[in-house]
Amino acid sequence: MTSQIAMLSHLGVALASDSAVTMGGSGRTFSSVNKIFSLAGRQPVAIMVSGRARYVPGDVSWERVVGMYREQTGDKEFTRLN
């Protein structure tokens, strides 16, 4: 089970998440997993994952998906995020 919170004010958003994960088949627990990722560069956008934490169509970790996005965008800054 994942514990997460997002707190919003007029100044911004604060995200927090636990860092433990249990692997389904083996039942092993790992205590230092990243669940919050900055989307890219200096963009003020973050992603918080929970549950299976994998992008289902390819069974790829969200950490890898976000990393690939960062590689593609580099230092570009966008005025909007669709």
Side-chain angles (χ1 to χ4, degrees), residues 50-81:
S50 63
R52 194 155 178 258
R54 299 188 70 76
Y55 180 64
V56 176
D59 196 36
V60 177
S61 73
W62 277 109
E63 185 170 11
R64 183 64 189 131
V65 172
V66 171
M68 290 170 65
Y69 178 82
R70 282 189 201 133
E71 289 171 10
Q72 182 179 352
T73 58
D75 291 335
K76 291 182 206 170
E77 288 193 29
F78 303 103
T79 56
R80 289 181 22 181
L81 178 65

Side-chain angles (χ1 to χ4, degrees), residues 1-77:
M1 178 166 122
T2 295
S3 296
Q4 296 179 321
I5 187 168
M7 299 192 68
L8 174 68
S9 78
H10 68 285
L11 298 175
V13 178
L15 302 175
S17 180
D18 66 345
S19 60
V21 67
T22 302
M23 297 297 183
S26 67
R28 292 182 59 191
T29 300
F30 299 90
S31 60
S32 59
V33 176
N34 292 327
K35 296 182 182 177
I36 300 175
F37 306 99
S38 172
L39 186 57
R42 298 180 347 192
Q43 300 292 330
V45 178
I47 296 173
M48 188 163 53
V49 297
S50 63
R52 194 155 178 258
R54 299 188 70 76
Y55 180 64
V56 176
D59 196 36
V60 177
S61 73
W62 277 109
E63 185 170 11
R64 183 64 189 131
V65 172
V66 171
M68 290 170 65
Y69 178 82
R70 282 189 201 133
E71 289 171 10
Q72 182 179 352
T73 58
D75 291 335
K76 291 182 206 170
E77 288 193 29

